[in-house]
């Protein structure tokens, strides 16, 4: 054939090939591959014929089998004869050759062949030459194509090693930093960043073991359970660096209650078996065994008419004082500034209690001495109370050995007088509650924010706008550690694994501690003068679940930007990428009359790092990495003590204090009883509350009316890290105990059974997800074990008792928090919506269902500004069969069985649109949930329901309308069981981005995309 004919044929093939999915297979079977390769070999100097041949080769190489065959035929070598250093000639030909090479290198066999032939250093040299000479940036596409070839080579372990050996990290780092000032070069910077992050040598976390520093012995350890698996591993297998070539194509995280991820998996987890979907009320325990729960339901018994209505207060007996609590409790405070010894720290110190010089008020191990009222301090006015503690220690918060200060100065614990705005808070009462709280670490310190309380801000805190390029900047700073290792201090300043005190030289390092209730910080490493890597502790009896943090920082310099990196996060994305900030509490601000947790931090982002997660911790999944959550803070005060938290802390001792204060609000019209549902594994009491209105009298009619009230069952805080659920519960409890007419009507309408904290042990010990059994309690509702999951076992048994006695709750709601969606919303259970979502073929007669489950969410959407009906889902998933919501719906027969999820971030709709959520909004949600229950009565009362048929029709219409709204679901993974949706916002938090978009069409890729508009949602 002559040259002109071959040119025409290949030009035609270039147009036809991409339109035929089997073009590559047909070409290989007909021997066309070798024909084209031979034409390329013979016409390397004939650019006119070479171009269409290369274009056809690029189409051939799109088939993996063809790519391997072409590699064996020497096509890789041909491509490197065509590409070369910077030149203004034949740039189109060069671009096609690079694209063909990139396609060939997607084959791992070809990639290994290219590495073995030393082509990776060649590509780096070519890229440097084009970078150096393309000063006017006219050939951006060619430079991006070169990087694409390097990127494909580094997908294999051998290629990553060759990249490091060829000094590729420094080359791409230097070229990228030179491009940062030019926005149009972002595609080059982003691709370089991906390559460097992928090639950054994998390291294990700087820990002796990834298992929790704390262990709790279990009386019964199931042989196949997570604890048995965890501790059956030999020490050397505890954590290993995984150099697997497997990339995380999709990061599937599931936590909380419902899972939502990729579109292609959206129906995989949805239950489609109608028989399994239908609620089935099973009597799993004989009624004689359930009869013991009658003591929690005395209001339903025949003897209730003889009940002492005037003395119906709590029968709850709190745990005895913790006998393991040896020594005093430490509370951070300030020291006097009038006279100081030369070695006294010029900052807020921790004050040890007691060392009394006068008769103190004894609180069983906590000794306080009040200032004589006849001698008020004139320096402390402006609504501040004062508490004087006898004796001051110069205390390192990290030390157990605290020596007494010889100066004899007296420490002042300045107490903000918050009683007027926090009627349920009392610092002295809080300390009394701490005494009976049992912790595995045996805490002897109390965090200042918990002691003095938090006053919700009146000033709304907006969702922060993501800074352009912030993730890229942070990643480059991390890469600098590898390139300039001698600039890294790598000094451990706090370590729970090493109980000896860290040496603090010249006060140049921050001081950390988390040795207080709900605290979580395992290790702090100073990597630069003002930068710290922080490592969170795993849940007790576990080796993962890292998200919740709560720690104290001191010895800071004001006006200095400190960077904090939490380096062992596990979730694949976070609302920290979408405007959420961390929370900080400043002791100096509190002393000055501003006792607030405030949102703080700049340059916040969340991204994959180079610390490899062991497949042991990842449930056998290989190639997983940890994620870094980084934020920068500038402290305002010298001599300050500050606390940082993932969300507004709410400890078990706080709950006990609030419950005791609530009891004081009881009036003659309120029936309030507090029982101990059970003892937890850690020896703490799990309270059960009963709240309703007292009967008008002890007459039979009034007693019958009292007993006929439907039951509402509420629970919260099964997941310790979801502290927002406790604030919502606090709002509900305060409303129920208030004297408002609506609260009284609500009490007269229902009998409330409330378990305000289902996982006290996890809350106390700073866990994020699990109880002391090392298991997620919200996955144990199907078959709870009385020894391992006592709170779930007894809560379910109580529900079974209510059902067996004809008192099946009208509403069950479990309060949760959500880390990757905005707003407040509900998950419920519906056969009809589950089948519709799965697109299963089912006859209409099988889908008959009462739509009453939608009434309460719709009512809440009308009255609660933070609530979003469009975010609600009523799909039942297979992976959620053991959750409270599904089990109570299926086994107990509660149609209105819900999980109510509250955002940890903020709202993107309604009154609070664009604002981060605070405790006031969360408590308001809890109160408005109660108002919604009051309105629900109109649609459930037999006397009134016939007047609201139009409302039922509205719900039917809503249901039909929402059929077009996809509810993305995915299966549960071993590591985190949570409902986390996909994002509309595109943020590159992965080191394995597959983005191949045209750089000309998309100059701002991945990390640099703007935040979503006001109408977008974080979850679909």
């Amino acid at each position: 054939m002559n040259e002109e004919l071959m040119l025409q044929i290949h030009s035609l093939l270039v147009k036809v090939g991409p339109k035929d999915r089997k073009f590559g297979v047909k070409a290989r079977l007909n021997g066309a591959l070798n024909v084209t390769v031979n034409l390329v070999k013979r016409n390397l100097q004939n650019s006119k014929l070479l171009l269409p041949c290369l274009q056809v080769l690029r189409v051939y190489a799109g088939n993996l089998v063809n790519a391997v065959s072409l590699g064996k035929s020497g096509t890789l070598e041909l491509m490197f004869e065509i590409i070369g250093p910077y030149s203004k000639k034949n740039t189109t030909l060069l671009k096609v050759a690079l694209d063909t090479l990139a396609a060939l290198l997607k084959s791992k066999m070809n990639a290994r062949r290219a590495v073995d032939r030393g082509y990776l250093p060649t590509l780096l040299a070519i890229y440097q030459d084009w970078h150096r000479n393309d000063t006017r940036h006219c050939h951006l596409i060619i430079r991006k194509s070169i990087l694409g070839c390097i990127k494909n080579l580094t997908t294999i372990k051998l290629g990553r090693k060759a990249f490091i050996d060829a000094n590729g990290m420094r080359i791409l780092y230097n070229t990228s930093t030179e491009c940062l000032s030019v926005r149009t070069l972002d595609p080059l910077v982003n691709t370089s960043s991906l390559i460097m992050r992928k090639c950054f040598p994998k390291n294990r976390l700087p820990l002796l073991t990834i298992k929790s520093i704390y262990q709790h012995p279990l009386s019964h350890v199931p042989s196949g359970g997570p604890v048995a698996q965890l501790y059956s591993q030999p020490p050397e297998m505890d954590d290993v660096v995984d150099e697997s070539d497997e990339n995380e194509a999709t990061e599937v995280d599931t936590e909380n209650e419902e899972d939502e991820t990729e579109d292609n998996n959206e129906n995989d987890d949805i239950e489609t078996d109608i028989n399994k979907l239908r609620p089935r009320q099973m009597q799993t325990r004989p009624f004689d065994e359930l009869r013991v729960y009658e003591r929690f339901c005395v209001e339903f018994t025949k003897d209730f008419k003889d009940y002492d209505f005037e003395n119906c207060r709590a029968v709850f007996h709190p745990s005895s004082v913790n006998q393991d609590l040896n020594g005093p409790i430490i509370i951070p405070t300030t020291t006097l500034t009038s006279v100081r010894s030369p070695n006294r720290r010029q900052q807020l110190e921790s004050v040890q209690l007691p060392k009394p010089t006068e008769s103190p008020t004894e609180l069983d191990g906590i000794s306080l001495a009040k200032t004589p009222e006849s001698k008020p301090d004139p320096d402390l006015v402006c609504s501040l109370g004062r508490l004087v503690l006898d004796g001051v220690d110069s205390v390192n918060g990290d030390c157990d050995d605290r020596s007494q200060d010889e100066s004899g100065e007296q420490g002042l614990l300045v107490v903000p007088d918050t009683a007027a705005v926090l009627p349920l808070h009392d610092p002295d009462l809080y300390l009394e509650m701490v005494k009976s709280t049992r912790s595995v670490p045996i805490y002897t310190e109390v965090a200042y924010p918990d002691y003095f309380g938090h006053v919700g801000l009146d000033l709304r805190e907006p969702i922060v706008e993501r800074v352009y390029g912030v993730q890229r900047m942070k990643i480059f700073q991390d890469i600098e550690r590898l390139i300039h290792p001698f600039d890294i201090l790598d000094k451990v300043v706090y370590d729970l694994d090493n109980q000896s005190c860290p040496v603090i030289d010249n006060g140049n390092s921050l001081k950390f501690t988390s040795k207080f209730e709900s605290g979580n910080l395992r290790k702090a490493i100073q990597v630069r003068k003002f930068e710290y890597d922080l490592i969170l502790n795993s849940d007790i009896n576990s080796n993962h679940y890292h998200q919740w943090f709560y720690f104290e920082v001191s010895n800071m310099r004001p006006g200095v930007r400190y960077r904090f990196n939490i380096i062992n996060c596990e979730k694949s994305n976070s609302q920290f990428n979408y405007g959420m900030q961390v929370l900080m509490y400043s002791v100096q601000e509190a002393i000055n009359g501003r006792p607030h947790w405030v949102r703080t931090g700049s340059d916040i982002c969340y991204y994959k790092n180079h610390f490899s997660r062991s497949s042991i911790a990842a449930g056998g999944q290989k190639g997983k990495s940890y994620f870094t959550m980084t934020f920068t803070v500038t402290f305002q005060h010298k001599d300050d003590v500050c606390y940082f938290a993932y969300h507004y802390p709410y400890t078990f001792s706080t709950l006990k204090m609030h419950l005791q204060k609530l009891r004081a609000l009881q009036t003659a019209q309120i029936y309030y009883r507090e029982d101990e549902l059970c003892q937890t594994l850690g020896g703490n009491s799990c309270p059960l509350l009963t709240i309703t209105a007292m009967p008008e009298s002890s007459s039979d009619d009034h007693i019958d009316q009292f007993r006929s009230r439907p039951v509402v069952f509420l629970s919260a805080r099964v997941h310790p890290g979801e502290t927002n659920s406790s604030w919502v519960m606090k709002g509900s409890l305060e409303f129920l105990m208030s004297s408002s007419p609506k609260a009284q009507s609500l009490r007269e309408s229902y009998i409330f059974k409330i378990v305000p904290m289902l996982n006290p042990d996890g809350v106390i010990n700073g866990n994020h997800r699990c109880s002391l059994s090392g298991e997620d309690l919200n996955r144990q509702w199907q078959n709870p074990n009385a020894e391992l999951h006592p709170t779930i076992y007894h809560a379910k048994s109580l529900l079974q008792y209510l059902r067996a006695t004809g008192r099946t709750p009208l509403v069950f709601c479990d309060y949760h928090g959500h880390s990757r969606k905005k707003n407040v919303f509900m998950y419920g259970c519906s056969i009809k919506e589950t089948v519709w979502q799965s697109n299963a073929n089912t006859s209409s007669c099988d889908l008959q269902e009462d739509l009453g489950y939608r009434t309460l969410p719709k009512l809440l959407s009308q009255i609660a500004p933070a609530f979003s009906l469009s975010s609600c889902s009523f799909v039942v998933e297979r992976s959620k069969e053991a959750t409270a919501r599904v089990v109570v719906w299926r086994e107990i027969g509660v149609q209105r069985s819900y999980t109510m999820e509250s955002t940890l971030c903020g709202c993107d709709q309604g009154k609070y649109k664009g604002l981060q959520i605070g405790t006031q909004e969360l408590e308001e949600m809890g109160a408005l949930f109660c108002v919604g229950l009051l309105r629900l009565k109109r649609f459930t009362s037999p006397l009134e329901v016939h007047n609201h048929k139009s409302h039922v029709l509205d719900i039917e219409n809503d249901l039909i309308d929402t059929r077009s709204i996809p509810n993305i679901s995915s299966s549960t993974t071993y590591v985190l069981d949570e409902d986390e949706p996909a994002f509309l916002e595109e943020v590159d938090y992965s080191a394995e981005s597959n983005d191949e978009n045209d750089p000309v069409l998309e100059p701002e890729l991945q990390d640099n995309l703007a935040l979503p508009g006001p109408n977008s949602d974080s979850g679909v």
Side-chain angles (χ1 to χ4, degrees), residues 35 39 44 52 108 130 254 490 602 645 717 780 844 858 893 992:
V35 172
L39 280 173
L44 288 175
K108 291 185 178 181
W130 278 87
T254 57
D490 202 26
S602 59
R717 207 69 183 282
Q780 310 305 323
S844 59
K858 182 167 184 178
E992 283 80 29

Side-chain angles (χ1 to χ4, degrees), residues 251 253-255 258-262 572-575 578 818-822 825 827 871 967-970 978-985 989 1017-1020:
E251 290 285 330
D253 267 341
T254 57
E255 197 176 320
E258 304 291 324
D259 301 324
E260 303 177 283
T261 49
E262 300 297 331
S572 63
N573 209 338
S574 168
Q575 280 289 323
Y578 307 108
H818 209 293
S819 66
R820 289 199 283 178
K821 284 187 74 173
K822 294 181 172 69
F825 52 94
Y827 293 117
S871 297
N967 289 309
I968 298 176
S969 309
S970 72
E978 183 179 20
D979 36 327
E980 300 294 7
F983 276 83
L984 293 186
E985 301 101 325
Y989 55 85
D1017 194 341
S1018 63
V1020 288

Side-chain angles (χ1 to χ4, degrees), residues 45 58 104 236 278 401 406 512 557 571 615 668 787 817 838 846 937:
Q45 306 303 318
R58 182 176 61 183
L104 291 169
E236 65 273 9
R278 294 189 188 281
D401 183 18
E406 298 178 356
F512 297 83
R557 297 184 188 180
K571 288 177 174 291
S615 59
E787 295 181 3
S838 64
D846 292 331
K937 181 187 177 185

Side-chain angles (χ1 to χ4, degrees), residues 501-728:
C501 298
V503 177
I504 307 298
D505 44 321
N506 302 323
N508 291 328
S509 301
L510 293 176
K511 297 179 181 179
F512 297 83
T513 187
S514 62
K515 298 177 183 177
F516 45 78
E517 187 175 349
S518 294
N520 190 323
L521 178 65
R522 181 169 184 168
K523 192 171 187 177
I525 305 170
Q526 186 177 14
V527 292
R528 295 184 178 95
K529 187 174 182 179
F530 301 115
E531 182 178 354
Y532 295 82
D533 281 352
L534 309 178
I535 301 176
L536 305 180
N537 190 30
S538 302
D539 285 3
I540 291 178
N541 283 339
S542 172
N543 60 6
H544 55 291
Y545 298 118
H546 310 111
Q547 185 170 341
W548 168 256
F549 57 87
Y550 184 17
F551 57 88
E552 174 194 301
V553 177
S554 59
N555 202 42
M556 67 281 292
R557 297 184 188 180
V560 173
R561 287 173 55 84
Y562 288 90
R563 177 183 172 184
F564 299 96
N565 312 305
I566 299 176
I567 63 174
N568 64 331
C569 301
E570 292 176 326
K571 288 177 174 291
S572 63
N573 209 338
S574 168
Q575 280 289 323
F576 284 118
N577 273 336
Y578 307 108
M580 188 169 84
Q581 295 175 286
V582 299
L583 284 149
M584 186 181 79
Y585 191 107
S586 164
V587 173
Q588 284 281 21
E589 287 291 303
I591 290 173
N592 292 335
R594 294 179 291 275
H596 309 298
W597 281 101
V598 297
R599 300 278 187 172
T600 192
S602 59
D603 295 345
I604 301 173
C605 62
Y606 188 96
Y607 58 91
K608 185 175 292 182
N609 60 34
H610 62 279
F611 291 105
S612 178
R613 285 173 61 192
S614 166
S615 59
I616 297 172
Q621 300 178 62
K622 294 183 178 181
K624 299 292 183 180
S625 296
Y626 286 105
F627 291 77
T628 292
M629 195 284 284
T630 180
F631 62 98
T632 300
V633 172
T634 302
F635 298 102
Q636 301 301 315
H637 303 288
K638 186 181 179 183
D639 300 341
D640 201 357
V641 172
C642 292
Y643 293 81
F644 291 96
Y646 178 66
H647 199 67
Y648 301 94
Y650 192 103
T651 66
F652 181 57
S653 297
T654 298
L655 172 67
K656 293 190 293 183
M657 174 187 65
H658 285 167
L659 293 183
Q660 186 154 326
K661 285 287 191 176
L662 283 171
R663 289 199 293 272
L665 300 178
Q666 185 175 358
T667 65
Q669 290 75 39
I670 301 176
Y671 177 89
Y672 175 95
R673 197 179 71 252
E674 184 175 334
D675 299 295
E676 180 183 273
L677 178 66
C678 62
Q679 286 269 313
T680 67
L681 289 176
N684 294 288
S685 297
C686 179
L688 167 68
L689 311 180
T690 302
I691 302 175
T692 188
M694 292 293 292
E696 294 185 26
S697 71
S698 58
S699 68
D700 290 342
D701 289 343
H702 288 155
I703 294 297
D704 289 342
Q705 185 183 35
F706 176 88
R707 289 175 178 166
S708 65
R709 296 171 187 168
V711 174
V712 172
F713 199 107
L714 305 179
S715 62
R717 207 69 183 282
V718 70
H719 295 143
E722 297 164 14
T723 58
N724 48 356
S725 66
S726 282
W727 290 100
V728 176

Side-chain angles (χ1 to χ4, degrees), residues 871-903:
S871 297
C872 296
S873 173
F874 304 93
V875 174
V876 179
E877 296 165 313
R878 296 187 182 99
S879 60
K880 306 303 176 297
E881 289 183 346
T883 61
R885 169 182 63 95
V886 177
V887 170
V888 172
W889 171 71
R890 180 175 290 171
E891 297 184 18
I892 308 300
V894 179
Q895 181 199 33
R896 298 174 179 84
S897 180
Y898 306 105
T899 297
M900 186 165 74
E901 301 275 1
S902 299
T903 179

